[in-house]
Amino acid sequence: MKKGLLYAIIASVLWAIVTPFIKQGLSYDFTPMNFAGIRFTLVGIILFAYTWHKGMWREIKQNSRLFLNLILINMFLGYTAFYIGVDFVSGAISSIIMGMTPLINVLLAHLIARNDKLNIYKTCSLLVSLIGLFLIIGMGSDGKPLDTKGIAGVVLLLLNIILQGYSAISVSEDKGKVNPIFLNAVQMFFGGLLIYIVGVSVEGFHPFIGKPAGFYISLGVLVFISVFAFSFWFMALQDAKSKVSDLNMCRLINPILGAVLSWIMLADEYPTFSTVTGMLIIVSSLIIYFKGETLVKRIKNKGTQT
């Protein structure tokens, strides 16, 4: 297995368990931007303690375009949309919609990245995944179409995917310029601080001292995931042998694991025909993506040998 692909799989497994813990943390009378801001600022502090080095401010200045991209687009806009979107829909639907990440990023890579274009199998994967998405939107998590709030949540989650996909391509295009863990530290601290400041201004201040133990457990798990998941993801993106589109396909782990954990952990959530079917349809696009190309390569190799 390519090293980049292995890092992407580890990051995807960690990200798959995020949604239930976000839903759990928000259930303790907390607002999305306040919660996200605290989480990411803490992650940034931890990573800065590990990556602090002489000349780092000069390094940030030299790569200011990349860092501003990650702080403003990936963290502030992307995660604000993500947290509000998660708050608007069920945990299972959030996880399944986020399963669209690799497929939307395949399309973005085709439009933006160099040497990472669509082929017939990637196109079929996108079309199949859209069928699964429309099934979920049309049937919701309780057999009924999503209401206006639910549709807004889906739109915000899709916006998050597009914004983070653009940032991922930017990191990939600048392979090797910045240590990936330091890259994560800067985006988490400054992006988290910006989210928190804006969150307090918009949502009001929500005290985080004296909360039940469940709140701190959820926050602790999310901090742990952020410390490692993004660091592994940036390592994957900076691997010279890996394409952005291939790495993003690993994130189809998210809809299965994330939805199952939501059904297990969250009391008011349970599997329905529409969510399970939509999830299976979206995941089947992964098989089309990888198996289609593998099959063609085998046929070509046999033709060359004969």
Side-chain angles (χ1 to χ4, degrees):
M1 183 184 292
K2 292 177 183 177
K3 189 182 291 185
L5 196 59
L6 177 61
Y7 289 145
I9 290 171
I10 296 171
S12 298
V13 170
L14 290 171
W15 273 325
I17 63 178
V18 160
T19 302
F21 286 100
I22 291 176
K23 298 289 286 186
Q24 205 167 57
L26 291 174
S27 68
Y28 293 98
D29 190 29
F30 227 74
T31 53
M33 293 184 74
N34 272 248
F35 193 44
I38 292 170
R39 171 194 173 188
F40 294 131
T41 304
L42 287 173
V43 173
I45 292 170
I46 293 169
L47 290 174
F48 263 137
Y50 177 73
T51 61
W52 195 276
H53 59 278
K54 186 178 179 180
M56 70 175 195
W57 296 113
R58 185 174 64 253
E59 186 177 1
I60 292 173
K61 187 177 179 181
Q62 289 172 346
N63 297 279
S64 57
R65 181 175 171 274
L66 176 61
F67 283 114
L68 283 173
N69 178 345
L70 290 173
I71 292 167
L72 296 176
I73 298 177
N74 189 53
M75 291 299 301
F76 178 66
L77 295 177
Y79 269 100
T80 297
F82 176 71
Y83 265 75
I84 296 173
V86 167
D87 195 36
F88 282 2
V89 296
S90 71
I93 286 183
S94 297
S95 296
I96 295 168
I97 297 301
M98 294 309 294
M100 296 283 293
T101 298
L103 298 159
I104 292 175
N105 285 348
V106 164
L107 182 58
L108 286 174
H110 170 75
L111 296 172
I112 300 171
R114 298 187 295 266
N115 302 319
D116 202 354
K117 301 303 180 182
L118 282 173
N119 57 31
I120 188 170
Y121 304 105
K122 293 178 182 179
T123 304
C124 287
S125 295
L126 285 167
L127 294 175
V128 170
S129 64
L130 284 174
I131 294 170
L133 176 64
F134 289 138
L135 178 65
I136 293 166
I137 293 174
M139 298 298 289
S141 59
D142 56 0
K144 299 177 182 178
L146 291 176
D147 57 15
T148 304
K149 183 179 179 181
I151 293 173
V154 170
V155 170
L156 286 170
L157 291 172
L158 292 173
L159 177 62
N160 161 259
I161 294 171
I162 293 169
L163 293 171
Q164 293 194 333
Y166 172 78
S167 296
I169 292 168
S170 299
V171 173
S172 180
E173 295 285 309
D174 290 328
K175 293 181 190 293
K177 285 189 176 180
V178 183
N179 178 284
I181 301 176
F182 179 65
L183 197 64
N184 193 19
V186 174
Q187 74 147 359
M188 286 287 170
F189 179 76
F190 290 105
L193 200 58
L194 182 60
I195 291 172
Y196 186 70
I197 291 169
V198 174
V200 170
S201 303
V202 174
E203 301 169 339
F205 174 73
H206 288 256
F208 49 87
I209 305 298
K211 292 285 185 184
F215 173 82
Y216 298 108
I217 291 171
S218 298
L219 182 61
V221 170
L222 291 169
V223 167
F224 172 84
I225 290 170
S226 292
V227 165
F228 290 98
F230 259 113
S231 298
F232 280 123
W233 182 242
F234 287 155
M235 288 177 186
L237 290 172
Q238 292 191 349
D239 180 42
K241 297 179 181 178
S242 301
K243 290 183 178 181
V244 177
S245 57
D246 290 344
L247 296 176
N248 272 295
M249 293 309 289
C250 297
R251 297 182 71 170
L252 280 174
I253 294 168
N254 293 23
I256 298 177
L257 187 55
V260 170
L261 286 172
S262 293
W263 293 327
I264 292 171
M265 293 175 57
L266 303 176
D268 57 344
E269 295 196 20
Y270 51 88
T272 64
F273 173 79
S274 58
T275 51
V276 173
T277 305
M279 177 177 66
L280 293 176
I281 290 173
I282 289 173
V283 171
S284 69
S285 60
L286 176 64
I287 299 171
I288 296 170
Y289 179 90
F290 278 120
K291 291 297 182 181
E293 289 196 281
T294 304
L295 182 61
V296 168
K297 286 178 182 178
R298 286 179 180 174
I299 292 171
K300 285 182 177 178
N301 289 336
K302 286 182 179 179
T304 303
Q305 291 171 3
T306 56

